[in-house]
Amino acid sequence: MSELFTFIQGRWDPAVTYPQIVWPALVVAYGVFAVTFASLFAGITSWYERRVAGRMQCRIGPNRVGPQGVLQWLADGFKAFLKEDLVPKEADGILYRIAPYPVFVGVFCTWVILPYAPAVVGADLNVGVVFLMAITALVVAGIIMGGWASNSKWALLGGVRSAAQMVSYEIPVGFALLTAVIPAGTLSLQGIIAAQGGAPWNWMVFHSPATFIAFFVYFTAALAEGNRTPFDLPEAESELVAGYNTEYSGMRFIWFFFAEWANLYVIGAVVAAVFLGGWRLPGVGIEQQAASLWLQFAGACLFVLKALVLVNVIIWLRWTLPRLRVDQLMIMCWKYLVPAGMVLVVVAVFWVFVERGMPGFARWVAFLLCATGFFLVGLMFWRAWYNIKYGGDRLYLKFMV
Amino acid sequence: MSAVYLPIFVMLLFSGALAGGMLLFSMPFGPYNPTRVKSEPFECGCRSIGPNRVRFSAQFYILAILLVVFDIEAAFMFPWAVLFSKLGLAGFIEMLVFIGVLVLGFVYLWRSGGLDALDK
């Protein structure tokens, strides 16, 4: 199983390990799996999010198509199928038609580097993190293309706003990922996971004060990059009709949103991999995990679970927080997150020397940060429980409606 | 080592094919009847006034230029971050100088009001 270990270290060449026919077959199989996974996730999340939104706003949400409305997304898809694919007369026909593709492809291609288990990943690129930032930049191109080509004031403003927002927030994303890359010493996502441990205090998020803050910086900036509330200004319905996709209809309209929902999993999975330990199981070594099929499966389940918990948090934030103003959005990025990112990188580097000089101290800080993190989560749940019990909030905890 | 990049091309192909295939597949199902009103740009129910390619604030270009500066600087920092443990103290000090120059530029930008781009 040593070949699997070298695979994790990023020194693995599939062409050597596998015969010439098996590797392309495996790649094609993974491609089918990833496209299916992403599509199913995006579809089901579109239903799940509306369902959660319904419960949070004291209404029911879609519950008619299939049991509990679980097939709603298929019905929506079929409806979009039967719609007219309209191209406005004065729109730039070619750009208008191809604009959904970069958005769609840019989000779906990130699935290549999202890991599931020590030996289950599309491609363990040694430039993984850079690839992630590069391929998601395609989304900006698609959105500004669609916004400009539509020949509509609303679409143009939405597209330009969106491009400004996404390129601005790419910088904090880069700095926050850099903060995690410095202690790990590799850009490969598998390598970053391998540098962490299974137990919470060995996770990257609790590694140093810098990574602890970088976790929040990354999460905030990733939300803004994915155009999610509270940063969904590009599609602010109250001011811009629908933003860059105002003129779109039918399947092309669906693809923009499909990509946005698929992006939820990308955010969750990247945070889980880079900051929250990925597929590492507590008390299990990497080689031991790579050697056992069951441990790999357990790791994959744990990884997807972590990602889904984060997706839940994102959905929850969307229906809790109000939308920011456009100037607040830019100030938040340039005057808070970017300087914070610069400081974090320096602190992360400084921490490498602290770790070398005083390993005991660094260990205690990790424990302390871990305790702080879990205390904060616990405090939140306690506050929720307190408010329900004493605040007079009435809550109907009936699962099925 | 180039075989590692094969999945990227496969995924590009598959996701592009999925998007394009579904669009092609939906073509015969939907109606196609573009009337004059339907083909007009959307304008909340009233007639569109003036050209639709409206001018937008030049400040957006400043943001785009800033992105180029800061993203290229991040591109320089990624290889350094990977090799950091091998470079040791010298690498650390050199990168501190690099970040210092960048921070100076950032402070200038902040003071000169370049960051208040959309603060209106």
Side-chain angles (χ1 to χ4, degrees):
Chain A
M1 277 302 139
S2 63
E3 76 199 29
L4 283 174
F5 188 64
T6 52
F7 167 81
I8 292 158
Q9 299 297 308
R11 281 184 266 106
W12 175 76
D13 188 352
V16 174
T17 317
Y18 294 107
Q20 276 176 337
I21 301 170
V22 175
W23 170 243
L26 274 178
V27 169
V28 169
Y30 181 78
V32 172
F33 162 75
V35 167
T36 316
F37 184 103
S39 311
L40 277 179
F41 178 84
I44 293 172
T45 309
S46 77
W47 161 76
Y48 178 72
E49 175 158 33
R50 281 177 285 170
R51 200 74 179 141
V52 171
R55 300 312 297 272
M56 289 183 77
Q57 297 171 342
C58 299
R59 53 191 177 83
I60 294 169
N63 71 338
R64 291 292 163 140
V65 191
Q68 294 298 308
V70 76
L71 298 177
Q72 182 69 43
W73 62 282
L74 277 178
D76 291 341
F78 278 122
K79 185 187 164 200
F81 240 68
L82 303 177
K83 289 288 170 189
E84 184 174 357
D85 184 16
L86 196 74
V87 180
K89 211 169 117 203
E90 285 164 61
D92 188 318
I94 297 169
L95 282 183
Y96 183 88
R97 284 192 178 87
I98 64 172
Y101 290 97
V103 178
F104 194 78
V105 169
V107 171
F108 270 49
C109 276
T110 48
W111 250 265
V112 170
I113 57 156
L114 297 182
Y116 301 92
V120 187
V121 63
D124 179 29
L125 301 182
N126 52 7
V127 291
V129 171
V130 178
F131 172 77
L132 178 80
M133 290 174 64
I135 202 85
T136 44
L138 270 181
V139 178
V140 188
I143 282 178
I144 203 162
M145 238 191 252
W148 186 81
S150 295
N151 188 36
S152 164
K153 288 166 187 161
W154 308 112
L156 179 69
L157 285 176
V160 171
R161 262 194 193 188
S162 181
Q165 169 181 340
M166 289 168 102
V167 298
S168 298
Y169 276 90
E170 215 154 86
I171 296 158
V173 162
F175 277 127
L177 288 177
L178 204 60
T179 312
V181 164
I182 287 167
T186 170
L187 291 171
S188 135
L189 280 189
Q190 292 282 51
I192 293 175
I193 293 174
Q196 304 174 57
W201 50 87
N202 288 330
W203 289 354
M204 192 59 87
V205 56
F206 302 128
H207 179 265
S208 71
T211 50
F212 189 65
I213 299 167
F215 169 75
F216 295 101
V217 170
Y218 179 78
F219 196 66
T220 314
L223 283 187
E225 234 199 323
N227 286 336
R228 294 289 302 186
T229 322
F231 309 108
D232 64 341
L233 288 151
E235 45 205 65
E237 303 93 345
S238 47
E239 17 185 311
L240 282 177
V241 186
Y244 56 88
N245 52 23
T246 303
E247 299 286 346
Y248 280 88
S249 60
M251 285 312 277
R252 283 180 217 279
F253 175 79
I254 289 284
W255 287 144
F256 283 118
F257 279 93
F258 219 64
E260 194 182 312
W261 275 307
N263 193 37
L264 285 189
Y265 180 78
V266 176
I267 298 174
V270 171
V271 173
V274 175
F275 290 105
L276 298 183
W279 38 253
R280 293 296 299 267
L281 296 166
V284 181
I286 297 175
E287 278 185 271
Q288 197 186 345
Q289 195 175 350
S292 157
L293 203 61
W294 284 110
L295 286 178
Q296 293 219 37
F297 181 69
C301 287
L302 186 66
F303 178 78
V304 174
L305 184 75
K306 281 174 186 170
L308 291 184
V309 167
L310 286 161
V311 168
N312 260 302
V313 173
I314 298 170
I315 291 176
W316 169 37
L317 282 177
R318 175 165 181 187
W319 302 104
T320 307
L321 298 176
R323 185 180 290 141
L324 267 70
R325 270 200 333 258
V326 70
D327 60 316
Q328 291 170 333
L329 180 87
M330 286 300 157
I331 285 173
M332 168 133 173
C333 175
W334 286 101
K335 294 195 177 173
Y336 292 92
L337 294 185
V338 171
M342 288 177 184
V343 174
L344 286 179
V345 170
V346 176
V347 173
V349 172
F350 178 68
W351 201 259
V352 174
F353 292 111
V354 171
E355 251 191 323
R356 275 185 205 159
M358 299 179 281
F361 173 68
R363 191 104 190 101
W364 274 109
V365 171
F367 279 126
L368 198 68
L369 284 171
C370 182
T372 314
F374 279 93
F375 173 74
L376 288 175
V377 174
L379 186 70
M380 189 200 74
F381 278 111
W382 179 74
R383 287 304 300 174
W385 173 82
Y386 186 88
N387 283 342
I388 290 164
K389 192 161 187 201
Y390 297 107
D393 292 0
R394 281 193 296 168
L395 195 71
Y396 301 100
L397 289 172
K398 221 169 108 194
F399 182 63
M400 301 287 184
V401 176
Chain B
M1 204 60 199
S2 58
V4 154
Y5 295 97
L6 184 65
I8 298 174
F9 295 108
V10 169
M11 201 65 194
L12 274 172
L13 206 70
F14 276 30
S15 52
L18 178 70
M22 293 282 266
L23 273 170
L24 271 182
F25 190 56
S26 75
M27 263 180 180
F29 292 103
Y32 189 67
N33 181 26
T35 59
R36 197 176 60 83
V37 176
K38 252 196 258 179
S39 311
E40 272 179 6
F42 182 81
E43 192 67 68
C44 309
C46 42
R47 282 263 166 78
S48 182
I49 299 168
N52 278 301
R53 306 240 187 259
V54 289
R55 295 178 175 191
F56 51 86
S57 173
Q59 305 281 15
F60 283 114
Y61 288 106
I62 295 182
L63 281 179
I65 291 166
L66 290 186
L67 165 87
V68 173
V69 174
F70 281 89
D71 242 21
I72 287 182
E73 157 269 329
F76 278 118
M77 282 165 87
F78 271 108
W80 162 77
V82 173
L83 292 173
F84 170 69
S85 51
K86 286 176 196 153
L87 295 176
L89 198 62
F92 175 51
I93 291 168
E94 281 193 32
M95 195 40 83
L96 272 190
V97 173
F98 185 77
I99 295 176
V101 172
L102 194 81
V103 167
L104 277 181
F106 189 71
V107 168
Y108 169 73
L109 193 69
W110 192 321
R111 295 290 299 272
S112 64
L115 297 184
D116 304 325
L118 298 172
D119 191 6
K120 278 179 193 93

